[in-house]
Amino acid sequence: MKNLQSAQIDALKKDVQGTVIAAGDAAYDSARQIWNAMVDKHPAAIVQCATTGDVVYAVNFAREHQVPLAVRGGGHNIAGSALRDDAIVIDLSKMKAVQVDAGARRASVEGGATLADFDAAAQAHGLATPLGINSTTGVAGLTLGGGFGWLSRQYGMTVDNLESAEVVTAAGDVLRASASQNTDLFWALRGGSGNFGVVTRFEFRLHPVGPEVLAGLIVYPFSQAKSVLQQYRAFMDQAPDDVSVWTVLRKAPPLPFLPESVHGQKVVVLALLYTGDPSQGEALVKPLHGFGTPLGTHVGAMPYVNWQQAFDPLLTPGARNYWKSHNFSALEDGLFDAVIEYVAKLPSPQCEIFFGAIGGATMRPAPDATAYAHRDARFVMNVHGRWDDPADDAAGIRWAREYFKASAPFASGGVYVNFLTDDEGERVKAAYGPNYGRLAQIKRQYDPANLFSSNQNIMPA
Ligand SMILES: Cc1cc2nc3c(=O)[nH]c(=O)nc-3n(C[C@H](O)[C@H](O)[C@H](O)COP(=O)(O)OP(=O)(O)OC[C@H]3O[C@@H](n4cnc5c(N)ncnc54)[C@H](O)[C@@H]3O)c2cc1C
């Protein structure tokens, strides 16, 4: 690999339709910001592509000049893989168009669209597909790692709803991958992360959802945590697929429906969505209100797009974030004891531990049906360390790592590739699980020189 000369950057600027931002340009520092402020990387040039042709040009340019490459969708990956020092960054954030064919229940989504872009276009027709819980996340990175959210119990992982993808390969070819074209590539894209090329367009299957759904929060005191968690476990054992409830343990934000005295106190939050008729859902979710004595509740019919953005205020870009994650096929009492011990010593008011409920439709495909392998996972836990001051890094990271260790005996072994931090290289194989070998073979076919290596990397076989 070698550094780019300014004449080469000038040529790049002249030849692409989008914008090329290099070190020294006024927009450089803002263009190299991503969600996690702990990431501070200095690419050689950021190519904000306008067309698939720009992507082809940038891939060929990086390969021919032997310059490292990184690909940026929504810029949310915690490991900071969207950026790389001295690299060409293919930044898709200007390619975010979403077209919906309501009759065919299909969405065509450009590679830089966010969940908010997708949900807005699909919900205009009362349609949706499973995406994540923070609307500024990129559709691309989320999908390529598997993708799950409030609709996953009913409609599966995001990848289970992918119909096709347009991919710019390491050779600069534009291929279509689907169940009938380049089928091995299509398999690999559904969980193999950004290893196989730049996806410029995704086509998804859509489902009728909302536009009004029953959703909201029920907040319990931390002192009742163990009993609430045990009842939560029993509730989820019986819950139909159209109900999704996640548990979050943290300090209460200043939510308007909570008494002021509760703000800043440790709490257990149940966050719920029912996708059926809201009036019928009330009875279904009623037991959740009786797990103890709630400090506050805010549950009712609301637009699905509002629920998709409900957590955005707690997940704004610009904070320092450090994550640790496990998958669980069951929630054991020992795990509850561990989580209670560590939530009792939260290192900052923004830190939290959540258990996201998947299961249902996410468990029905075979582990080798798509590259995403963790079909045994019923819950995905994330230890979300978050603070603003770099001086808090050491204490926050230590807390996350210690709880991660304490909870490991209860985990099912795999890990969600999209929650890995950049110091977890040794967990990458576990993230691809039994599918790693086939992924490495397909990587050899489509990217033998590992041009796409700024990701949770699969070495070509
Ligand atoms: C606040 C927050 C909430 C989240 N919630 C959820 C959730 O509910 N469910 C869930 O499943 N995940 C969730 N995630 C994790 C999320 O799926 C990953 O961070 C994902 O990598 C983000 O994708 P991105 O495009 O925004 O990221 P980026 O950092 O831009 O991209 C990540 C990687 O994906 C690859 N990539 C990106 N775009 C392309 C493309 N067009 N073609 C090829 N490769 C590409 C590249 O390798 C890149 O390094 C959340 C993340 C955050 C920060």
Side-chain angles (χ1 to χ4, degrees):
M1 300 290 183
K2 54 184 189 190
N3 288 336
L4 276 180
Q5 309 297 315
S6 64
Q8 293 169 328
I9 292 178
D10 287 345
L12 190 58
K13 285 184 175 174
K14 186 167 68 59
D15 288 337
V16 299
Q17 283 186 45
T19 309
V20 177
I21 301 166
D25 290 345
Y28 180 72
D29 277 331
S30 65
R32 67 180 189 87
Q33 301 301 312
I34 55 172
W35 184 78
N36 184 4
M38 267 202 205
V39 179
D40 180 23
K41 295 187 192 167
H42 293 79
I46 298 166
V47 184
Q48 294 180 336
C49 297
T51 62
T52 298
D54 281 356
V55 175
V56 172
Y57 188 93
V59 166
N60 289 338
F61 183 95
R63 192 188 61 248
E64 285 160 13
H65 291 87
Q66 298 184 328
V67 181
L69 188 66
V71 181
R72 177 192 166 128
H76 266 46
N77 197 276
I78 187 74
S81 55
L83 301 177
R84 182 170 179 172
D85 286 328
D86 305 319
I88 295 283
V89 173
I90 294 181
D91 178 344
L92 294 159
S93 58
K94 306 289 184 219
M95 292 175 62
K96 51 193 340 213
V98 181
Q99 281 129 18
V100 173
D101 179 341
R105 291 191 182 160
R106 290 284 185 279
S108 169
V109 181
E110 279 192 317
T114 62
L115 309 196
D117 298 323
F118 189 164
D119 280 333
Q123 277 290 285
H125 306 278
L127 298 169
T129 213
L131 298 170
I133 58 128
N134 170 225
S135 77
T136 57
T137 308
V139 172
L142 177 129
T143 301
L144 295 169
F148 65 87
W150 299 110
L151 303 180
S152 289
R153 289 175 44 75
Q154 191 170 14
Y155 297 120
M157 302 292 292
T158 308
V159 284
D160 298 333
N161 296 278
L162 186 64
E163 290 279 315
S164 72
E166 178 187 81
V167 188
V168 178
T169 66
D173 297 325
V174 182
L175 300 183
R176 188 166 185 276
S178 70
S180 58
Q181 288 167 284
N182 299 300
T183 52
D184 50 355
L185 178 60
F186 186 54
W187 180 86
L189 291 172
R190 287 175 290 160
S193 320
N195 275 284
F196 299 93
V198 186
V199 180
T200 43
R201 187 173 288 280
F202 298 87
E203 190 193 14
F204 291 98
R205 204 158 48 243
L206 300 172
H207 311 273
V209 173
E212 289 264 293
V213 292
L214 180 73
L217 305 175
I218 305 171
V219 181
Y220 286 105
F222 182 60
S223 58
Q224 296 172 13
K226 182 134 183 203
S227 161
V228 170
L229 288 167
Q230 287 170 327
Q231 293 175 81
Y232 167 70
R233 173 177 62 201
F235 181 88
M236 291 313 297
D237 282 347
Q238 314 274 333
D241 293 352
D242 51 8
V243 175
S244 195
V245 188
W246 292 24
T247 324
V248 190
L249 295 100
R250 56 168 297 136
K251 288 188 174 172
L255 296 166
F257 66 90
L258 291 176
E260 237 174 76
S261 59
V262 173
H263 299 173
Q265 300 298 311
K266 293 183 195 92
V267 289
V268 186
V269 183
L270 302 180
L272 68 98
L273 173 78
Y274 169 67
T275 54
D277 178 348
S279 62
Q280 286 174 17
E282 299 279 0
L284 211 57
V285 304
K286 192 161 174 247
L288 299 170
H289 293 271
F291 286 180
T293 318
L295 295 164
T297 61
H298 180 71
V299 177
M302 65 180 78
Y304 172 73
V305 282
N306 290 17
W307 181 242
Q308 281 289 88
Q309 298 175 11
F311 297 89
D312 288 4
L314 297 176
L315 298 169
T316 48
R320 303 177 75 78
N321 295 271
Y322 184 81
W323 290 1
K324 281 293 200 185
S325 178
H326 285 303
N327 285 343
F328 296 91
S329 49
L331 302 177
E332 293 179 37
D333 277 356
L335 173 66
F336 296 156
D337 293 336
V339 74
I340 288 164
E341 182 187 340
Y342 280 86
V343 171
K345 43 188 181 186
L346 288 171
S348 97
Q350 299 183 67
C351 291
E352 65 182 22
I353 297 172
F354 76 72
F355 296 94
I358 52 174
T362 69
M363 301 181 83
R364 285 177 202 130
D368 62 356
T370 60
Y372 172 82
H374 305 295
R375 301 300 181 170
D376 61 337
R378 289 182 59 221
F379 298 91
V380 180
M381 180 194 77
N382 198 22
V383 186
H384 183 178
R386 182 179 166 98
W387 49 88
D388 294 315
D389 188 346
D392 294 332
D393 286 0
I397 291 171
R398 195 180 327 115
W399 169 80
R401 286 181 180 160
E402 284 175 4
Y403 168 65
F404 169 76
K405 249 193 227 160
S407 53
F410 310 102
S412 52
V415 58
Y416 181 39
V417 71
N418 273 345
F419 285 176
L420 289 180
T421 52
D422 68 345
D423 59 1
E424 294 190 302
E426 83 292 350
R427 298 186 83 201
V428 167
K429 278 198 173 164
Y432 298 114
N435 290 334
Y436 187 87
R438 182 172 173 202
L439 283 164
Q441 296 288 344
I442 299 172
K443 176 81 171 172
R444 183 174 63 184
Q445 187 184 343
Y446 288 96
D447 185 17
N450 204 6
L451 183 67
F452 299 106
S453 61
S454 186
N455 45 45
Q456 286 68 38
N457 196 231
I458 296 163
M459 290 303 290

